[in-house]
Amino acid sequence: MGKSSAQVAKVFSRFSERVSDKLERGRRRLHKEIHFTTATTLVNSKPKSVSTGPITHIIMICLSYPGMFWNFGGSMTLNGPKYDFFLLLDHFKYDEPDNSIQFSLLHDFDVIRPDSNGQPRHIQKTDTSKAAITNAIKNTMQSVAPGDKVLFYFGGHATEESDQAIVAGDGELISGSELRACLNDTPHDSVSVAAVFDACHTGGSMGLPYNYETKWCGVRAKRATREKQEIPMIQISAARPGQLAYSNNFKGGYFGQLTWCFIQYLKTTTDSTIEGLTSYLYQNCDPSGEQLPQVSASHSFKGPVSFF
């Protein structure tokens, strides 16, 4: 027997009410999940904060691998890191009289660069072996003071054959876990570290607990591992596992796409949140989508965070 128009209307009314109620509950739950506080706090950890103020130490490793070859016979030589080296030195005002940043430079090419008086200065290439790199990191982390801020930068080759690892200047591998251990080797848990990798396959290589991902509702921190990381640390990588990192032409130079994008972010940003950093890199590093940066962190940071 068919229902009357009034009965049909009543059924649809009840159905509409149930759908509306479910949608409202879903909206409230989603709103609760994506709510961001304005304070700088760390989730799932004892209360900490990232100190304000500028970077105090920079460990910069730029490798071109001159005369080196892969096992399959292909040349390992890179040109981008040479341009990136100049870009980073210029941005962080290396060798200027009023600059208090302590630099540790490791590079396998000679550099002639004007000093603060405009006179050419010869910066000789250094030992870039695995031992030299790990020792430089350990020496820096032992020399820091409470509240200092360290920027670690690597531009060169990386591999993921057996484990995610960067390739040192002597061809030896340094795994992400080794690098993380070196960067954690400090007597002060108030020190913060930002690690930037302009290299293939390095996304999440240090195993930090959180990965920041762009979703339809914005940037979200997703738990990646159950490992604990005491000192505040973020990792910015040029490419995910299985992806290549590219260099490209920008204003007369041949720079790593991530390095160029990262420096533009530092120059122009008005959003100092990890969400803002992640969003900027996703949108500007490689619009083609072939190279997708990865931002990982020690904690699920909320609000403005001063790593740089």
Side-chain angles (χ1 to χ4, degrees):
M1 181 180 295
K3 291 182 172 65
S4 66
S5 298
Q7 289 175 317
V8 172
K10 188 175 182 179
V11 170
F12 273 109
S13 177
R14 290 177 179 173
F15 176 75
S16 178
E17 288 175 0
R18 288 197 296 269
V19 171
S20 296
D21 182 59
K22 290 182 179 180
L23 288 174
E24 177 62 18
R25 288 200 301 269
R27 185 193 68 80
R28 290 176 180 174
R29 184 165 57 251
L30 180 61
H31 179 76
K32 183 178 180 180
E33 288 177 354
I34 66 173
H35 174 68
F36 296 126
T37 61
T38 56
T40 301
T41 57
L42 303 176
V43 177
N44 297 328
S45 175
K46 61 184 180 180
K48 289 183 182 180
S49 63
V50 179
S51 62
T52 58
I55 291 170
T56 58
H57 298 73
I58 295 179
I59 306 165
M60 189 187 306
I61 306 162
C62 293
L63 303 180
S64 65
Y65 308 95
M68 296 180 64
F69 294 86
W70 295 106
N71 292 335
F72 58 83
S75 173
M76 294 177 64
T77 302
L78 296 173
N79 291 318
K82 295 180 180 180
Y83 289 89
D84 296 335
F85 189 74
F86 277 94
L87 182 67
L88 291 161
L89 292 183
D90 288 344
H91 179 78
F92 291 107
K93 304 183 185 305
Y94 175 74
D95 209 28
E96 294 194 8
D98 59 347
N99 190 357
S100 62
I101 297 175
Q102 298 184 43
F103 289 83
S104 180
L105 305 180
L106 296 98
H107 49 102
D108 56 6
F109 45 86
D110 290 334
V111 171
I112 298 178
R113 179 178 179 273
D115 62 17
S116 58
N117 296 318
Q119 299 300 313
R121 179 188 174 186
H122 184 202
I123 306 175
Q124 293 185 330
K125 62 183 179 181
T126 66
D127 183 359
T128 58
S129 64
K130 176 177 180 175
I133 291 173
T134 54
N135 286 336
I137 299 172
K138 292 177 180 178
N139 291 338
T140 297
M141 298 310 297
Q142 286 295 313
S143 70
V144 295
D148 277 357
K149 298 163 75 170
V150 178
L151 173 64
F152 171 85
Y153 174 91
F154 175 82
H157 283 303
T159 181
E160 57 176 352
E161 290 183 2
S162 56
D163 191 9
Q164 287 175 285
I166 61 172
V167 183
D170 59 356
E172 294 294 314
L173 302 182
I174 310 174
S175 70
S177 58
E178 288 180 282
L179 289 171
R180 180 177 170 185
C182 290
L183 291 168
N184 274 320
D185 188 13
T186 175
H188 309 296
D189 63 3
S190 60
V191 172
S192 61
V193 175
V196 180
F197 295 83
D198 200 340
C200 307
H201 320 302
T202 48
S205 60
M206 293 202 298
L208 296 180
Y210 291 92
N211 288 335
Y212 280 78
E213 302 287 357
T214 56
K215 303 294 184 181
W216 64 270
C217 56
V219 177
R220 300 286 303 278
K222 180 180 179 181
R223 189 87 192 200
T225 72
R226 304 307 300 177
E227 295 186 34
K228 290 185 178 180
Q229 168 62 38
E230 291 302 322
I231 69 171
M233 185 180 296
I234 63 171
Q235 177 183 353
I236 303 169
S237 301
R240 309 296 181 95
Q243 290 185 341
L244 301 180
Y246 298 98
S247 293
N248 217 325
N249 293 301
F250 299 98
K251 295 188 176 180
Y254 191 66
F255 304 96
Q257 290 186 159
L258 177 77
T259 303
W260 178 264
C261 186
F262 174 63
I263 294 299
Q264 304 318 303
Y265 167 80
L266 295 180
K267 288 180 177 180
T268 63
T269 185
T270 57
D271 185 348
S272 60
T273 64
I274 303 298
E275 292 86 1
L277 168 66
T278 302
S279 179
Y280 185 93
L281 294 178
Y282 272 47
Q283 294 176 22
N284 296 284
C285 181
D286 186 357
S288 73
E290 292 185 21
Q291 173 184 334
L292 187 60
Q294 174 75 69
V295 178
S296 304
S298 56
H299 304 80
S300 179
F301 293 99
K302 305 292 184 181
V305 183
S306 179
F307 272 99
F308 310 110

